[in-house]
Amino acid sequence: MSGRDEFDVPEGSVAVGRRVRLPGRAEPPITIYVNGVAQTEGEDYLIEGADIVFTRPIVKEGKLGAIRWLSMLIGVVGSYRKHETVDIEYRSGGQVKLASDVEVRE
């Protein structure tokens, strides 16, 4: 997995981690999405036991300050920071299931 140390976190965002837990009883085929884009096993992530480990950190929007929050509330500005979500499509008991916006951890 190359590029582990080459990733820059955009201003206003935070790298929250590289790992997510597979849902219990998840069976192949398993498809991982980041912001709705399918990821490639071996290139974008690996499955290690019950964990999915990404080759780069997943980035979430950082906390908003009081002035920025107030500005958004009254419609002066918006928030355009990077905020990634991870979804997992998998099989369980013969049915296709989707775990949406799963928790990312170190």
Side-chain angles (χ1 to χ4, degrees), residues 2-104:
S2 65
R4 279 188 175 256
D5 298 322
E6 300 171 13
F7 187 79
D8 290 326
V9 176
E11 185 177 340
S13 299
V14 255
V16 293
R18 296 176 188 262
R19 292 183 174 270
V20 298
R21 181 69 99 187
L22 278 170
R25 299 187 177 145
E27 304 165 357
I30 295 170
T31 307
I32 310 301
Y33 299 92
V34 174
N35 286 352
V37 178
Q39 304 297 292
T40 304
E41 186 173 2
E43 184 177 324
D44 300 314
Y45 70 92
L46 296 173
I47 295 179
E48 295 180 357
D51 283 343
I52 298 161
V53 182
F54 290 94
T55 58
R56 63 167 184 82
I58 300 300
V59 177
K60 300 280 187 179
E61 183 175 42
K63 291 186 178 182
L64 297 175
I67 292 174
R68 184 156 180 95
W69 184 86
L70 180 60
S71 297
M72 287 174 53
L73 181 66
I74 60 176
V76 174
V77 298
S79 179
Y80 303 101
R81 297 174 181 170
K82 190 165 188 174
H83 185 81
E84 296 178 316
T85 58
V86 177
D87 303 318
I88 305 170
E89 182 182 87
Y90 62 99
R91 308 297 182 276
S92 181
Q95 295 183 333
V96 176
K97 300 200 174 200
L98 180 69
S100 184
D101 198 10
V102 296
E103 180 183 358
V104 180

